[in-house]
Amino acid sequence: MADATEEETVSAEASGFSDLSDSEFLEFLDLEDAQESNALVNMPGPSSESLGKDDKPISLQNWKRGLDILSPMERFQLKYLYVTDLASQNWCELQTAYGKEFPGFLAPEKAAVLDTGASIHLARELELHDLVTVPVTTKEDAWAIKFLNILSMIPTLQSEGHIREFPVFGEVEGVLLVGVIDELHYTAKGELELAELKTRRHPVLPLNTQKKKDCFQVSLYKYIFDAMVQGKVTPASLIHHTKLCPEKPLGPSVLRHAQQGGFSVKSLGDLMELVFLSLTLSDLPVIDILKIEYIHQETATVLGTEIVAFEEKEVRGKVQHYMAYWMGHREPQGVDVEEAWKCRTCTYADICEWRKGSGVLSSTVAPQAKKAK
C-alpha cells in the first residue's frame, strides 16, 4: 500500500478530545489544500489582535460580519469535507467552526493523543501490508495514490479478504465527503463488516454522547462506500469538486509505483477510469455490519465493542442539517445546556460566543491551551 508524502500536512481537526477519531488523521491533504491551510494560519483573525482604523481591537462580532457574505466552504477555501468534520459537528458544531477559523492551533495534550492514536492505527495497518513511500508533487499525484490503494484492495475484498485504511469519497447533499475506513473484513457468515478503531486515554468506555458521534461517523462511511460500489459516485462529480486535471501526466514516482502494481497508466484520468470500472464491475457487496472497537491507548486492552444499527433516514437528516452550516444557510450552533460539560475540555471555551451568551467578544482573547492539573 502506498503512502503519499512530500510537503503534505496531516488533517488534525479534533472533536471531543477525550475520544478522537484517529484514523483520518493518517489521511494526508492534497498539496494545494495544504498550502491554502498554511496561508489561512497567517490570516488575521480574532486571535491575532486585529486592529481597526482607529487602532482599537475589532470585536469578534464585527470581524465575523465581514465574513458573513461567504459560506464556510468559501471562507475556508474547502473543496471537500472529511467525514470527521461532520462527526465533529455531532459533538459540538461551534467547536468545529472555531477549529476552521484557528487552523494553526492544537493544544499539546491533544497533539499527544493524536500521535498515540495514529501509532496504534499504523501498527494495525502494518499487520496486513507494508507501506511504501511514494513522493508526490501535485494534487493529481496525491489522488492517484488514493486510487492505486483502492485498486490494490478491491481484489482482496473480492476474495473475501481483510483490508485496512480503505479510502472513500462521494457527493452528499451537494458537497464532496472524503474519509478512510479503518477496516473491512468478512464474518463467518460471509457478511461484510466495517470495524472502526477508537483509542481511549483512560480505560473506560465513552459516554453515550461520544458514542453517538462515533456511530454517526461509521454510518457515513457505509453510506459513501455503498454508493461507490453501487455506481452512484461519478468521475465528473469528483473532478467538479476537487478541480483535478485528469489529463495531467502523473509524476515519475507515481508512474513507477503504478507499473509495479501492474497498471499501465499515464494520467490521473486513466487511473480514475480503472477505479470506477473496478468498483462497479467487481460485484462488491454493500457493508452489512458496523462495529466500533474501543481500546485503551496505554495497554491496548479492548474495553468494549458497539454494533451500530444503520438508519439511512436519520443519517440523511443529520447530513442535511450539518451541510446547511457549511453552505452558509445558517450560523453554527453550540451544545445544549445539558451537554455544557463538554466545554470543560474545549480549546475554544475562553472565546466561545455560545458559552458566553453575549454574542460580542473582544478580539484580544485568544485560544489558550488548558493547563495540566
Side-chain angles (χ1 to χ4, degrees), residues 217-343:
Q217 180 182 345
V218 297
S219 294
L220 278 178
Y221 286 146
K222 170 178 166 57
Y223 189 83
I224 300 172
F225 178 88
D226 289 358
M228 290 173 67
V229 300
Q230 291 172 339
K232 297 178 181 178
V233 181
T234 66
S237 173
L238 184 63
I239 293 170
H240 168 72
H241 289 287
T242 60
K243 310 304 180 187
L244 291 166
C245 180
E247 298 83 14
K248 192 168 187 176
L250 297 174
S253 298
V254 177
L255 283 174
R256 281 196 299 271
H257 183 69
Q259 290 169 355
Q260 291 169 359
F263 305 111
S264 179
V265 294
K266 293 183 179 180
S267 67
L268 181 68
D270 295 339
L271 262 181
M272 290 179 69
E273 185 178 353
L274 279 177
V275 167
F276 283 94
L277 280 174
S278 297
L279 285 171
T280 55
L281 299 179
S282 57
D283 200 28
L284 291 176
V286 298
I287 294 171
D288 299 301
I289 301 173
L290 299 173
K291 182 177 75 174
I292 303 171
E293 182 181 28
Y294 296 99
I295 71 168
H296 184 215
Q297 285 190 347
E298 185 176 346
T299 63
T301 303
V302 177
L303 303 174
T305 59
E306 190 87 9
I307 301 299
V308 180
F310 179 72
E311 302 289 345
E312 183 173 345
K313 184 178 180 180
E314 181 181 341
V315 171
R316 288 189 66 90
K318 284 186 177 182
V319 169
Q320 289 171 355
H321 176 69
Y322 294 147
M323 286 303 186
Y325 158 68
W326 294 107
M327 302 302 287
H329 298 155
R330 62 174 179 81
E331 290 293 317
Q333 299 173 347
V335 298
D336 294 332
V337 175
E338 294 79 7
E339 296 183 351
W341 53 267
K342 294 178 180 179
C343 302

Side-chain angles (χ1 to χ4, degrees), residues 16-251:
F17 110 85
S18 61
D19 180 28
L20 299 173
S21 295
D22 317 281
S23 178
E24 268 176 40
F25 299 135
L26 297 176
E27 176 69 9
F28 289 107
L29 295 177
D30 295 341
L31 292 176
E32 182 176 304
D33 297 328
Q35 292 163 356
E36 290 173 352
S37 296
N38 291 335
L40 284 172
V41 174
N42 297 321
M43 290 175 64
S47 64
S48 60
E49 300 189 5
S50 304
L51 300 177
K53 293 181 180 180
D54 55 359
D55 290 334
K56 292 182 179 179
I58 303 172
S59 72
L60 181 60
Q61 185 184 50
N62 291 335
W63 177 81
K64 288 181 69 178
R65 188 175 294 139
L67 299 177
D68 285 342
I69 57 173
L70 299 175
S71 72
M73 291 294 291
E74 295 167 329
R75 187 161 79 245
F76 304 129
Q77 303 179 50
L78 302 174
K79 294 184 179 69
Y80 50 83
L81 296 173
Y82 286 90
V83 168
T84 45
D85 287 326
L86 269 67
S88 70
Q89 285 175 271
N90 196 261
W91 174 263
C92 176
E93 186 171 69
L94 199 55
Q95 186 186 75
T96 303
Y98 279 128
K100 294 297 184 183
E101 290 181 355
F102 302 100
F105 186 86
L106 185 63
E109 62 268 30
K110 291 188 179 183
V113 173
L114 284 176
D115 289 343
T116 304
S119 298
I120 293 173
H121 275 87
L122 179 60
R124 285 208 170 186
E125 186 177 4
L126 290 173
E127 291 174 0
L128 293 184
H129 49 240
D130 295 328
L131 289 180
V132 179
T133 299
V134 181
V136 298
T137 55
T138 66
K139 61 180 180 179
E140 283 77 16
D141 282 355
W143 274 90
I145 296 301
K146 291 181 177 70
F147 292 143
L148 286 169
N149 287 338
I150 291 174
L151 287 171
S152 69
M153 288 188 272
I154 287 177
T156 305
L157 278 180
Q158 284 179 301
S159 59
E160 299 193 356
H162 187 176
I163 62 171
R164 289 198 174 108
E165 305 299 321
F166 188 89
V168 291
F169 48 85
E171 184 178 298
V172 181
E173 298 299 323
V175 177
L176 183 68
L177 274 185
V178 177
V180 182
I181 293 176
D182 268 357
E183 183 178 324
L184 289 169
H185 60 255
Y186 291 87
T187 66
K189 296 181 179 180
E191 299 168 303
L192 183 58
E193 180 176 271
L194 180 154
E196 173 75 12
L197 171 66
K198 296 293 183 186
T199 62
R200 303 282 296 165
R201 287 199 308 152
H202 304 293
V204 292
L205 286 171
L207 300 174
N208 286 334
T209 305
Q210 294 168 305
K211 287 183 179 180
K212 287 180 181 178
K213 172 178 67 70
D214 301 335
C215 292
F216 179 59
Q217 180 182 345
V218 297
S219 294
L220 278 178
Y221 286 146
K222 170 178 166 57
Y223 189 83
I224 300 172
F225 178 88
D226 289 358
M228 290 173 67
V229 300
Q230 291 172 339
K232 297 178 181 178
V233 181
T234 66
S237 173
L238 184 63
I239 293 170
H240 168 72
H241 289 287
T242 60
K243 310 304 180 187
L244 291 166
C245 180
E247 298 83 14
K248 192 168 187 176
L250 297 174

